[in-house]
Amino acid sequence: MSGEETPALSCLVTGASGYIGGRLAPELLEAGHRVRCMVRSPEKLRDFPWAGRVEAVRGDVTDPESLGEALRGIDVAYYLVHALRTGEDFEQTDRKAARDFADRARAAGVRRIVYLGGLTPADVPERELSAHLRSRAEVGEIFLRSAVPATVLRAAVVVGSGSASFEMLRYLTERLPVMVTPSWVGTRIQPIAVRDVLRYLVGSARMPDEVNRAFDVGGPDVVTYEQMMRRYAVTARLPHRLILRVPMLTPRLSSLWIGLVTPVPPSLARPLAESLRHEVVCREHDIAQYVPDPPGGPIGLDRALALALQRVREAQVATRWSSAALPGAPSDPLPTDPDWAGGSLYVDRRALDVEASPQALWQVIEGIGGDNGWYSFPLAWAVRGWLDRLVGGVGLRRGRRDAARLRVGDSLDFWRVEEIEPGRLLRLRAEMRLPGLAWLEMHADPVSVPAGSRARYRQRAVFHPRGLLGHLYWWSVSPFHAVVFGGMARNIARAALHADAQAARAARPS
């Protein structure tokens, strides 16, 4: 907290294992508040890096009896639960859950309810709204009419890695250089960066008691979905996308099309596609009276897109692969995000138990490349090096700085040492010409067995494709991975055994 010292608030986060909830909890903690998370299965929180700093309680907004304990002693209750599904009863379920939550919050003495809903068009009759938007609007009205003061934030498309609407944008743009699209790609929308959404949510906790209203929240850019796709392509350094609109694609057909092209489930894609039929643009920016804009104002679309991309930062610099495992910002993916979040990622994993010491295994790993070679199919590596030089790459000519030792930043043939943990991990980032980004990791793990010490060799090749060409590249080379990567793992294991034997002979008294 900054400025004048203010007492911490007790905050309840429902939907804490979801996209927004999983990012809101640490932001509330950072603001100095106490946080309680209500989830149907508390064990779902185990993988969140902040799990040990919050109180987890079991509860479900559709089970009124479970709400009393969750809301006891709470000052601000965040309602971040939505039924992103279709069916005849989902609107009724959402309606009843919101009413029960408001009633139990009043009984528990909660001072404020904060709800994140959807931005609705001003000139469209309620009956013409998608069921998804209509239900979100109704839930907001229920809270505003309740006995507990409420803040209802209405947002359109949230831009952040893991957001369903952003992931749909990511996959469509990356995988299709030519797109036959529904007419809704011409609809105007006002996207907002997830960082700004979280800033508004955290700031809403301290709104004056007399404030009971909805606020439109959005970024500074009003664009069509087509423009968003084109700007994503520029940010992701993809070639120009050709987009052709076809008016006869219904929301149902659109969801099937999205499901065919992307890993976003059709059950999730359909309500998103239905919502995009309507223009959703903010009509006011009154939220700034209570949660002031940061210097420079809310985050613009291009910066939001850059922040949401793991391989691109504001300076257009590829991030370290290791950053993907430890989210450092709300825009980063979390380990708990759905499998389809975070963009396409291809991985080849190999593991072998080695009857040699971890030290001998590490000696082989650290000595890889240069004159020592890559321990598999030398002709394939040589051909790959020649091809790389043919298209202007560095090829294999750089070799190694030192025949036995590596350090971070060293060039290693057409790789660069990105991370090294002596005796344990070597991570290389590819610098050959590729339609994407690639890493190669090699681990030496000690394994204790009754007979003594041995090691486990783990190898992981990771490829993050850029555009359709990137996917085609991986699919074209993957049949050879068993020979190249499989052979590499086996030969490294054999070389470690040989190194161990040499060390043992050298240690014998003459």
Side-chain angles (χ1 to χ4, degrees), residues 463-499:
F463 183 64
H464 202 165
R466 181 181 297 118
L468 180 61
L469 186 60
H471 294 278
L472 294 175
Y473 171 81
W474 178 266
W475 295 332
S476 68
V477 300
S478 58
F480 304 102
H481 285 172
V483 175
V484 176
F485 290 133
M488 183 177 177
R490 291 189 297 272
N491 290 330
I492 284 177
R494 292 192 189 103
L497 276 172
H498 180 68

PDB file of all heavy atoms in Angstrom, residues 463-499:
ATOM      1  N   PHE A 463       9.008 -26.355 -29.287  1.00  0.00           N
ATOM      2  CA  PHE A 463       8.877 -25.501 -30.469  1.00  0.00           C
ATOM      3  C   PHE A 463       7.588 -24.706 -30.387  1.00  0.00           C
ATOM      4  O   PHE A 463       6.514 -25.262 -30.191  1.00  0.00           O
ATOM      5  CB  PHE A 463       8.890 -26.344 -31.751  1.00  0.00           C
ATOM      6  CG  PHE A 463       8.827 -25.521 -33.012  1.00  0.00           C
ATOM      7  CD1 PHE A 463       9.861 -24.647 -33.342  1.00  0.00           C
ATOM      8  CD2 PHE A 463       7.744 -25.618 -33.870  1.00  0.00           C
ATOM      9  CE1 PHE A 463       9.801 -23.881 -34.506  1.00  0.00           C
ATOM     10  CE2 PHE A 463       7.676 -24.861 -35.036  1.00  0.00           C
ATOM     11  CZ  PHE A 463       8.708 -23.994 -35.352  1.00  0.00           C
ATOM     12  N   HIS A 464       7.726 -23.391 -30.517  1.00  0.00           N
ATOM     13  CA  HIS A 464       6.574 -22.483 -30.518  1.00  0.00           C
ATOM     14  C   HIS A 464       6.434 -21.954 -31.941  1.00  0.00           C
ATOM     15  O   HIS A 464       7.176 -21.060 -32.345  1.00  0.00           O
ATOM     16  CB  HIS A 464       6.810 -21.344 -29.527  1.00  0.00           C
ATOM     17  CG  HIS A 464       5.543 -20.690 -29.062  1.00  0.00           C
ATOM     18  ND1 HIS A 464       5.489 -19.873 -27.971  1.00  0.00           N
ATOM     19  CD2 HIS A 464       4.281 -20.732 -29.548  1.00  0.00           C
ATOM     20  CE1 HIS A 464       4.253 -19.445 -27.799  1.00  0.00           C
ATOM     21  NE2 HIS A 464       3.516 -19.951 -28.752  1.00  0.00           N
ATOM     22  N   PRO A 465       5.480 -22.481 -32.732  1.00  0.00           N
ATOM     23  CA  PRO A 465       5.412 -22.147 -34.153  1.00  0.00           C
ATOM     24  C   PRO A 465       4.934 -20.717 -34.389  1.00  0.00           C
ATOM     25  O   PRO A 465       4.178 -20.163 -33.602  1.00  0.00           O
ATOM     26  CB  PRO A 465       4.401 -23.151 -34.705  1.00  0.00           C
ATOM     27  CG  PRO A 465       3.520 -23.465 -33.543  1.00  0.00           C
ATOM     28  CD  PRO A 465       4.427 -23.425 -32.340  1.00  0.00           C
ATOM     29  N   ARG A 466       5.384 -20.141 -35.495  1.00  0.00           N
ATOM     30  CA  ARG A 466       4.897 -18.837 -35.929  1.00  0.00           C
ATOM     31  C   ARG A 466       4.113 -19.038 -37.210  1.00  0.00           C
ATOM     32  O   ARG A 466       4.668 -19.325 -38.268  1.00  0.00           O
ATOM     33  CB  ARG A 466       6.052 -17.861 -36.152  1.00  0.00           C
ATOM     34  CG  ARG A 466       5.583 -16.463 -36.576  1.00  0.00           C
ATOM     35  CD  ARG A 466       6.736 -15.506 -36.830  1.00  0.00           C
ATOM     36  NE  ARG A 466       7.506 -15.273 -35.607  1.00  0.00           N
ATOM     37  CZ  ARG A 466       8.770 -15.595 -35.467  1.00  0.00           C
ATOM     38  NH1 ARG A 466       9.415 -16.185 -36.443  1.00  0.00           N
ATOM     39  NH2 ARG A 466       9.409 -15.345 -34.343  1.00  0.00           N
ATOM     40  N   GLY A 467       2.792 -18.910 -37.098  1.00  0.00           N
ATOM     41  CA  GLY A 467       1.931 -19.021 -38.263  1.00  0.00           C
ATOM     42  C   GLY A 467       1.809 -20.443 -38.784  1.00  0.00           C
ATOM     43  O   GLY A 467       2.348 -21.402 -38.230  1.00  0.00           O
ATOM     44  N   LEU A 468       1.083 -20.579 -39.896  1.00  0.00           N
ATOM     45  CA  LEU A 468       0.845 -21.892 -40.485  1.00  0.00           C
ATOM     46  C   LEU A 468       2.147 -22.569 -40.892  1.00  0.00           C
ATOM     47  O   LEU A 468       2.301 -23.785 -40.745  1.00  0.00           O
ATOM     48  CB  LEU A 468      -0.077 -21.741 -41.708  1.00  0.00           C
ATOM     49  CG  LEU A 468      -0.433 -23.029 -42.452  1.00  0.00           C
ATOM     50  CD1 LEU A 468      -1.168 -23.998 -41.537  1.00  0.00           C
ATOM     51  CD2 LEU A 468      -1.267 -22.718 -43.684  1.00  0.00           C
ATOM     52  N   LEU A 469       3.112 -21.783 -41.399  1.00  0.00           N
ATOM     53  CA  LEU A 469       4.397 -22.351 -41.800  1.00  0.00           C
ATOM     54  C   LEU A 469       5.094 -23.033 -40.628  1.00  0.00           C
ATOM     55  O   LEU A 469       5.746 -24.069 -40.789  1.00  0.00           O
ATOM     56  CB  LEU A 469       5.293 -21.256 -42.387  1.00  0.00           C
ATOM     57  CG  LEU A 469       6.636 -21.722 -42.982  1.00  0.00           C
ATOM     58  CD1 LEU A 469       6.399 -22.710 -44.107  1.00  0.00           C
ATOM     59  CD2 LEU A 469       7.433 -20.523 -43.477  1.00  0.00           C
ATOM     60  N   GLY A 470       4.948 -22.454 -39.426  1.00  0.00           N
ATOM     61  CA  GLY A 470       5.546 -23.064 -38.241  1.00  0.00           C
ATOM     62  C   GLY A 470       4.953 -24.424 -37.937  1.00  0.00           C
ATOM     63  O   GLY A 470       5.670 -25.387 -37.614  1.00  0.00           O
ATOM     64  N   HIS A 471       3.620 -24.543 -38.050  1.00  0.00           N
ATOM     65  CA  HIS A 471       2.972 -25.841 -37.821  1.00  0.00           C
ATOM     66  C   HIS A 471       3.410 -26.852 -38.877  1.00  0.00           C
ATOM     67  O   HIS A 471       3.698 -28.015 -38.563  1.00  0.00           O
ATOM     68  CB  HIS A 471       1.452 -25.668 -37.847  1.00  0.00           C
ATOM     69  CG  HIS A 471       0.913 -24.835 -36.736  1.00  0.00           C
ATOM     70  ND1 HIS A 471       0.672 -25.338 -35.476  1.00  0.00           N
ATOM     71  CD2 HIS A 471       0.574 -23.522 -36.690  1.00  0.00           C
ATOM     72  CE1 HIS A 471       0.207 -24.370 -34.701  1.00  0.00           C
ATOM     73  NE2 HIS A 471       0.135 -23.258 -35.407  1.00  0.00           N
ATOM     74  N   LEU A 472       3.452 -26.423 -40.141  1.00  0.00           N
ATOM     75  CA  LEU A 472       3.866 -27.328 -41.211  1.00  0.00           C
ATOM     76  C   LEU A 472       5.300 -27.790 -41.006  1.00  0.00           C
ATOM     77  O   LEU A 472       5.636 -28.957 -41.273  1.00  0.00           O
ATOM     78  CB  LEU A 472       3.721 -26.631 -42.561  1.00  0.00           C
ATOM     79  CG  LEU A 472       2.277 -26.304 -42.989  1.00  0.00           C
ATOM     80  CD1 LEU A 472       2.281 -25.513 -44.296  1.00  0.00           C
ATOM     81  CD2 LEU A 472       1.457 -27.571 -43.137  1.00  0.00           C
ATOM     82  N   TYR A 473       6.167 -26.884 -40.532  1.00  0.00           N
ATOM     83  CA  TYR A 473       7.561 -27.249 -40.274  1.00  0.00           C
ATOM     84  C   TYR A 473       7.637 -28.370 -39.228  1.00  0.00           C
ATOM     85  O   TYR A 473       8.339 -29.368 -39.435  1.00  0.00           O
ATOM     86  CB  TYR A 473       8.344 -26.027 -39.807  1.00  0.00           C
ATOM     87  CG  TYR A 473       9.740 -26.355 -39.312  1.00  0.00           C
ATOM     88  CD1 TYR A 473      10.775 -26.546 -40.206  1.00  0.00           C
ATOM     89  CD2 TYR A 473       9.999 -26.490 -37.938  1.00  0.00           C
ATOM     90  CE1 TYR A 473      12.057 -26.862 -39.760  1.00  0.00           C
ATOM     91  CE2 TYR A 473      11.265 -26.809 -37.488  1.00  0.00           C
ATOM     92  CZ  TYR A 473      12.288 -26.995 -38.396  1.00  0.00           C
ATOM     93  OH  TYR A 473      13.531 -27.311 -37.939  1.00  0.00           O
ATOM     94  N   TRP A 474       6.936 -28.207 -38.108  1.00  0.00           N
ATOM     95  CA  TRP A 474       6.996 -29.226 -37.054  1.00  0.00           C
ATOM     96  C   TRP A 474       6.456 -30.560 -37.560  1.00  0.00           C
ATOM     97  O   TRP A 474       7.066 -31.613 -37.341  1.00  0.00           O
ATOM     98  CB  TRP A 474       6.219 -28.771 -35.829  1.00  0.00           C
ATOM     99  CG  TRP A 474       6.211 -29.801 -34.744  1.00  0.00           C
ATOM    100  CD1 TRP A 474       5.272 -30.760 -34.508  1.00  0.00           C
ATOM    101  CD2 TRP A 474       7.219 -30.016 -33.746  1.00  0.00           C
ATOM    102  NE1 TRP A 474       5.613 -31.543 -33.441  1.00  0.00           N
ATOM    103  CE2 TRP A 474       6.811 -31.114 -32.957  1.00  0.00           C
ATOM    104  CE3 TRP A 474       8.425 -29.378 -33.462  1.00  0.00           C
ATOM    105  CZ2 TRP A 474       7.572 -31.573 -31.891  1.00  0.00           C
ATOM    106  CZ3 TRP A 474       9.183 -29.848 -32.395  1.00  0.00           C
ATOM    107  CH2 TRP A 474       8.754 -30.931 -31.620  1.00  0.00           C
ATOM    108  N   TRP A 475       5.329 -30.527 -38.241  1.00  0.00           N
ATOM    109  CA  TRP A 475       4.744 -31.776 -38.728  1.00  0.00           C
ATOM    110  C   TRP A 475       5.661 -32.452 -39.755  1.00  0.00           C
ATOM    111  O   TRP A 475       5.683 -33.682 -39.854  1.00  0.00           O
ATOM    112  CB  TRP A 475       3.373 -31.505 -39.351  1.00  0.00           C
ATOM    113  CG  TRP A 475       2.364 -31.023 -38.362  1.00  0.00           C
ATOM    114  CD1 TRP A 475       2.319 -31.280 -37.013  1.00  0.00           C
ATOM    115  CD2 TRP A 475       1.251 -30.166 -38.621  1.00  0.00           C
ATOM    116  NE1 TRP A 475       1.258 -30.640 -36.421  1.00  0.00           N
ATOM    117  CE2 TRP A 475       0.579 -29.953 -37.382  1.00  0.00           C
ATOM    118  CE3 TRP A 475       0.752 -29.548 -39.767  1.00  0.00           C
ATOM    119  CZ2 TRP A 475      -0.552 -29.153 -37.283  1.00  0.00           C
ATOM    120  CZ3 TRP A 475      -0.399 -28.763 -39.659  1.00  0.00           C
ATOM    121  CH2 TRP A 475      -1.038 -28.569 -38.442  1.00  0.00           C
ATOM    122  N   SER A 476       6.410 -31.656 -40.516  1.00  0.00           N
ATOM    123  CA  SER A 476       7.287 -32.249 -41.536  1.00  0.00           C
ATOM    124  C   SER A 476       8.522 -32.902 -40.926  1.00  0.00           C
ATOM    125  O   SER A 476       9.047 -33.881 -41.470  1.00  0.00           O
ATOM    126  CB  SER A 476       7.706 -31.188 -42.557  1.00  0.00           C
ATOM    127  OG  SER A 476       8.573 -30.226 -41.963  1.00  0.00           O
ATOM    128  N   VAL A 477       9.025 -32.376 -39.790  1.00  0.00           N
ATOM    129  CA  VAL A 477      10.246 -32.925 -39.199  1.00  0.00           C
ATOM    130  C   VAL A 477       9.962 -33.918 -38.070  1.00  0.00           C
ATOM    131  O   VAL A 477      10.855 -34.686 -37.695  1.00  0.00           O
ATOM    132  CB  VAL A 477      11.174 -31.802 -38.673  1.00  0.00           C
ATOM    133  CG1 VAL A 477      11.581 -30.881 -39.806  1.00  0.00           C
ATOM    134  CG2 VAL A 477      10.514 -31.008 -37.542  1.00  0.00           C
ATOM    135  N   SER A 478       8.749 -33.918 -37.534  1.00  0.00           N
ATOM    136  CA  SER A 478       8.462 -34.788 -36.376  1.00  0.00           C
ATOM    137  C   SER A 478       8.665 -36.271 -36.666  1.00  0.00           C
ATOM    138  O   SER A 478       9.052 -37.022 -35.755  1.00  0.00           O
ATOM    139  CB  SER A 478       7.049 -34.532 -35.839  1.00  0.00           C
ATOM    140  OG  SER A 478       6.083 -34.742 -36.835  1.00  0.00           O
ATOM    141  N   PRO A 479       8.444 -36.768 -37.915  1.00  0.00           N
ATOM    142  CA  PRO A 479       8.722 -38.201 -38.143  1.00  0.00           C
ATOM    143  C   PRO A 479      10.174 -38.583 -37.908  1.00  0.00           C
ATOM    144  O   PRO A 479      10.478 -39.756 -37.688  1.00  0.00           O
ATOM    145  CB  PRO A 479       8.320 -38.396 -39.615  1.00  0.00           C
ATOM    146  CG  PRO A 479       7.326 -37.323 -39.895  1.00  0.00           C
ATOM    147  CD  PRO A 479       7.806 -36.147 -39.091  1.00  0.00           C
ATOM    148  N   PHE A 480      11.089 -37.610 -37.971  1.00  0.00           N
ATOM    149  CA  PHE A 480      12.508 -37.911 -37.812  1.00  0.00           C
ATOM    150  C   PHE A 480      12.988 -37.767 -36.362  1.00  0.00           C
ATOM    151  O   PHE A 480      14.149 -38.028 -36.071  1.00  0.00           O
ATOM    152  CB  PHE A 480      13.341 -36.983 -38.699  1.00  0.00           C
ATOM    153  CG  PHE A 480      12.951 -37.054 -40.150  1.00  0.00           C
ATOM    154  CD1 PHE A 480      12.169 -36.060 -40.710  1.00  0.00           C
ATOM    155  CD2 PHE A 480      13.338 -38.116 -40.941  1.00  0.00           C
ATOM    156  CE1 PHE A 480      11.796 -36.104 -42.043  1.00  0.00           C
ATOM    157  CE2 PHE A 480      12.977 -38.184 -42.284  1.00  0.00           C
ATOM    158  CZ  PHE A 480      12.190 -37.178 -42.837  1.00  0.00           C
ATOM    159  N   HIS A 481      12.078 -37.347 -35.453  1.00  0.00           N
ATOM    160  CA  HIS A 481      12.498 -37.097 -34.081  1.00  0.00           C
ATOM    161  C   HIS A 481      12.943 -38.366 -33.357  1.00  0.00           C
ATOM    162  O   HIS A 481      13.815 -38.323 -32.494  1.00  0.00           O
ATOM    163  CB  HIS A 481      11.367 -36.421 -33.306  1.00  0.00           C
ATOM    164  CG  HIS A 481      11.202 -34.974 -33.670  1.00  0.00           C
ATOM    165  ND1 HIS A 481      10.160 -34.196 -33.220  1.00  0.00           N
ATOM    166  CD2 HIS A 481      11.953 -34.164 -34.450  1.00  0.00           C
ATOM    167  CE1 HIS A 481      10.280 -32.976 -33.708  1.00  0.00           C
ATOM    168  NE2 HIS A 481      11.356 -32.932 -34.455  1.00  0.00           N
ATOM    169  N   ALA A 482      12.317 -39.486 -33.696  1.00  0.00           N
ATOM    170  CA  ALA A 482      12.713 -40.739 -33.032  1.00  0.00           C
ATOM    171  C   ALA A 482      14.175 -41.049 -33.318  1.00  0.00           C
ATOM    172  O   ALA A 482      14.904 -41.545 -32.453  1.00  0.00           O
ATOM    173  CB  ALA A 482      11.817 -41.889 -33.496  1.00  0.00           C
ATOM    174  N   VAL A 483      14.611 -40.751 -34.555  1.00  0.00           N
ATOM    175  CA  VAL A 483      16.001 -41.008 -34.928  1.00  0.00           C
ATOM    176  C   VAL A 483      16.920 -39.953 -34.329  1.00  0.00           C
ATOM    177  O   VAL A 483      17.938 -40.272 -33.694  1.00  0.00           O
ATOM    178  CB  VAL A 483      16.141 -41.024 -36.460  1.00  0.00           C
ATOM    179  CG1 VAL A 483      17.617 -41.168 -36.858  1.00  0.00           C
ATOM    180  CG2 VAL A 483      15.325 -42.165 -37.051  1.00  0.00           C
ATOM    181  N   VAL A 484      16.549 -38.655 -34.498  1.00  0.00           N
ATOM    182  CA  VAL A 484      17.440 -37.577 -34.084  1.00  0.00           C
ATOM    183  C   VAL A 484      17.444 -37.416 -32.571  1.00  0.00           C
ATOM    184  O   VAL A 484      18.495 -37.517 -31.921  1.00  0.00           O
ATOM    185  CB  VAL A 484      17.042 -36.258 -34.773  1.00  0.00           C
ATOM    186  CG1 VAL A 484      17.909 -35.109 -34.255  1.00  0.00           C
ATOM    187  CG2 VAL A 484      17.189 -36.388 -36.288  1.00  0.00           C
ATOM    188  N   PHE A 485      16.270 -37.152 -31.982  1.00  0.00           N
ATOM    189  CA  PHE A 485      16.216 -36.911 -30.540  1.00  0.00           C
ATOM    190  C   PHE A 485      16.313 -38.200 -29.731  1.00  0.00           C
ATOM    191  O   PHE A 485      16.942 -38.236 -28.671  1.00  0.00           O
ATOM    192  CB  PHE A 485      14.940 -36.153 -30.171  1.00  0.00           C
ATOM    193  CG  PHE A 485      14.939 -34.726 -30.651  1.00  0.00           C
ATOM    194  CD1 PHE A 485      13.834 -34.192 -31.304  1.00  0.00           C
ATOM    195  CD2 PHE A 485      16.039 -33.909 -30.457  1.00  0.00           C
ATOM    196  CE1 PHE A 485      13.832 -32.883 -31.752  1.00  0.00           C
ATOM    197  CE2 PHE A 485      16.051 -32.601 -30.900  1.00  0.00           C
ATOM    198  CZ  PHE A 485      14.937 -32.085 -31.554  1.00  0.00           C
ATOM    199  N   GLY A 486      15.671 -39.279 -30.226  1.00  0.00           N
ATOM    200  CA  GLY A 486      15.782 -40.555 -29.521  1.00  0.00           C
ATOM    201  C   GLY A 486      17.206 -41.068 -29.524  1.00  0.00           C
ATOM    202  O   GLY A 486      17.740 -41.511 -28.496  1.00  0.00           O
ATOM    203  N   GLY A 487      17.854 -40.996 -30.706  1.00  0.00           N
ATOM    204  CA  GLY A 487      19.256 -41.421 -30.794  1.00  0.00           C
ATOM    205  C   GLY A 487      20.167 -40.561 -29.939  1.00  0.00           C
ATOM    206  O   GLY A 487      21.125 -41.060 -29.330  1.00  0.00           O
ATOM    207  N   MET A 488      19.867 -39.273 -29.868  1.00  0.00           N
ATOM    208  CA  MET A 488      20.671 -38.360 -29.053  1.00  0.00           C
ATOM    209  C   MET A 488      20.623 -38.777 -27.584  1.00  0.00           C
ATOM    210  O   MET A 488      21.663 -38.845 -26.914  1.00  0.00           O
ATOM    211  CB  MET A 488      20.119 -36.944 -29.232  1.00  0.00           C
ATOM    212  CG  MET A 488      20.879 -35.870 -28.509  1.00  0.00           C
ATOM    213  SD  MET A 488      20.124 -34.255 -28.908  1.00  0.00           S
ATOM    214  CE  MET A 488      21.133 -33.211 -27.863  1.00  0.00           C
ATOM    215  N   ALA A 489      19.451 -39.082 -27.077  1.00  0.00           N
ATOM    216  CA  ALA A 489      19.309 -39.482 -25.671  1.00  0.00           C
ATOM    217  C   ALA A 489      20.071 -40.775 -25.399  1.00  0.00           C
ATOM    218  O   ALA A 489      20.802 -40.900 -24.401  1.00  0.00           O
ATOM    219  CB  ALA A 489      17.829 -39.641 -25.322  1.00  0.00           C
ATOM    220  N   ARG A 490      19.927 -41.754 -26.295  1.00  0.00           N
ATOM    221  CA  ARG A 490      20.607 -43.043 -26.083  1.00  0.00           C
ATOM    222  C   ARG A 490      22.125 -42.899 -26.128  1.00  0.00           C
ATOM    223  O   ARG A 490      22.847 -43.471 -25.304  1.00  0.00           O
ATOM    224  CB  ARG A 490      20.138 -44.055 -27.136  1.00  0.00           C
ATOM    225  CG  ARG A 490      18.689 -44.494 -26.977  1.00  0.00           C
ATOM    226  CD  ARG A 490      18.356 -45.647 -27.913  1.00  0.00           C
ATOM    227  NE  ARG A 490      18.472 -45.262 -29.321  1.00  0.00           N
ATOM    228  CZ  ARG A 490      17.474 -44.720 -30.032  1.00  0.00           C
ATOM    229  NH1 ARG A 490      16.303 -44.486 -29.452  1.00  0.00           N
ATOM    230  NH2 ARG A 490      17.655 -44.418 -31.306  1.00  0.00           N
ATOM    231  N   ASN A 491      22.612 -42.121 -27.075  1.00  0.00           N
ATOM    232  CA  ASN A 491      24.066 -41.982 -27.214  1.00  0.00           C
ATOM    233  C   ASN A 491      24.679 -41.145 -26.100  1.00  0.00           C
ATOM    234  O   ASN A 491      25.836 -41.377 -25.708  1.00  0.00           O
ATOM    235  CB  ASN A 491      24.389 -41.379 -28.580  1.00  0.00           C
ATOM    236  CG  ASN A 491      24.102 -42.349 -29.708  1.00  0.00           C
ATOM    237  OD1 ASN A 491      24.202 -43.559 -29.533  1.00  0.00           O
ATOM    238  ND2 ASN A 491      23.725 -41.829 -30.865  1.00  0.00           N
ATOM    239  N   ILE A 492      23.947 -40.172 -25.589  1.00  0.00           N
ATOM    240  CA  ILE A 492      24.439 -39.415 -24.431  1.00  0.00           C
ATOM    241  C   ILE A 492      24.547 -40.338 -23.220  1.00  0.00           C
ATOM    242  O   ILE A 492      25.511 -40.269 -22.446  1.00  0.00           O
ATOM    243  CB  ILE A 492      23.521 -38.206 -24.145  1.00  0.00           C
ATOM    244  CG1 ILE A 492      23.792 -37.099 -25.174  1.00  0.00           C
ATOM    245  CG2 ILE A 492      23.722 -37.670 -22.728  1.00  0.00           C
ATOM    246  CD1 ILE A 492      22.899 -35.885 -25.043  1.00  0.00           C
ATOM    247  N   ALA A 493      23.551 -41.230 -23.061  1.00  0.00           N
ATOM    248  CA  ALA A 493      23.607 -42.193 -21.953  1.00  0.00           C
ATOM    249  C   ALA A 493      24.827 -43.101 -22.092  1.00  0.00           C
ATOM    250  O   ALA A 493      25.530 -43.371 -21.102  1.00  0.00           O
ATOM    251  CB  ALA A 493      22.319 -43.013 -21.918  1.00  0.00           C
ATOM    252  N   ARG A 494      25.097 -43.573 -23.319  1.00  0.00           N
ATOM    253  CA  ARG A 494      26.268 -44.432 -23.537  1.00  0.00           C
ATOM    254  C   ARG A 494      27.568 -43.667 -23.278  1.00  0.00           C
ATOM    255  O   ARG A 494      28.517 -44.203 -22.683  1.00  0.00           O
ATOM    256  CB  ARG A 494      26.266 -44.965 -24.969  1.00  0.00           C
ATOM    257  CG  ARG A 494      25.150 -45.945 -25.274  1.00  0.00           C
ATOM    258  CD  ARG A 494      25.390 -46.648 -26.605  1.00  0.00           C
ATOM    259  NE  ARG A 494      24.218 -47.416 -27.000  1.00  0.00           N
ATOM    260  CZ  ARG A 494      23.355 -47.023 -27.938  1.00  0.00           C
ATOM    261  NH1 ARG A 494      23.549 -45.889 -28.582  1.00  0.00           N
ATOM    262  NH2 ARG A 494      22.318 -47.773 -28.237  1.00  0.00           N
ATOM    263  N   ALA A 495      27.621 -42.429 -23.718  1.00  0.00           N
ATOM    264  CA  ALA A 495      28.829 -41.620 -23.506  1.00  0.00           C
ATOM    265  C   ALA A 495      29.063 -41.369 -22.024  1.00  0.00           C
ATOM    266  O   ALA A 495      30.216 -41.328 -21.567  1.00  0.00           O
ATOM    267  CB  ALA A 495      28.686 -40.288 -24.248  1.00  0.00           C
ATOM    268  N   ALA A 496      27.978 -41.238 -21.250  1.00  0.00           N
ATOM    269  CA  ALA A 496      28.133 -41.052 -19.806  1.00  0.00           C
ATOM    270  C   ALA A 496      28.709 -42.305 -19.156  1.00  0.00           C
ATOM    271  O   ALA A 496      29.563 -42.222 -18.258  1.00  0.00           O
ATOM    272  CB  ALA A 496      26.779 -40.698 -19.183  1.00  0.00           C
ATOM    273  N   LEU A 497      28.250 -43.476 -19.599  1.00  0.00           N
ATOM    274  CA  LEU A 497      28.812 -44.731 -19.086  1.00  0.00           C
ATOM    275  C   LEU A 497      30.309 -44.807 -19.391  1.00  0.00           C
ATOM    276  O   LEU A 497      31.115 -45.206 -18.544  1.00  0.00           O
ATOM    277  CB  LEU A 497      28.082 -45.917 -19.723  1.00  0.00           C
ATOM    278  CG  LEU A 497      26.778 -46.359 -19.068  1.00  0.00           C
ATOM    279  CD1 LEU A 497      26.085 -47.408 -19.930  1.00  0.00           C
ATOM    280  CD2 LEU A 497      27.053 -46.928 -17.684  1.00  0.00           C
ATOM    281  N   HIS A 498      30.669 -44.434 -20.618  1.00  0.00           N
ATOM    282  CA  HIS A 498      32.076 -44.463 -21.011  1.00  0.00           C
ATOM    283  C   HIS A 498      32.897 -43.485 -20.172  1.00  0.00           C
ATOM    284  O   HIS A 498      33.997 -43.821 -19.707  1.00  0.00           O
ATOM    285  CB  HIS A 498      32.195 -44.119 -22.497  1.00  0.00           C
ATOM    286  CG  HIS A 498      33.590 -44.127 -23.008  1.00  0.00           C
ATOM    287  ND1 HIS A 498      34.353 -45.280 -23.118  1.00  0.00           N
ATOM    288  CD2 HIS A 498      34.396 -43.104 -23.447  1.00  0.00           C
ATOM    289  CE1 HIS A 498      35.542 -44.980 -23.590  1.00  0.00           C
ATOM    290  NE2 HIS A 498      35.601 -43.668 -23.794  1.00  0.00           N
ATOM    291  N   ALA A 499      32.346 -42.278 -19.946  1.00  0.00           N
ATOM    292  CA  ALA A 499      33.054 -41.277 -19.140  1.00  0.00           C
ATOM    293  C   ALA A 499      33.211 -41.755 -17.708  1.00  0.00           C
ATOM    294  O   ALA A 499      34.250 -41.543 -17.067  1.00  0.00           O
ATOM    295  CB  ALA A 499      32.289 -39.950 -19.170  1.00  0.00           C
TER     296      ALA A 499
END
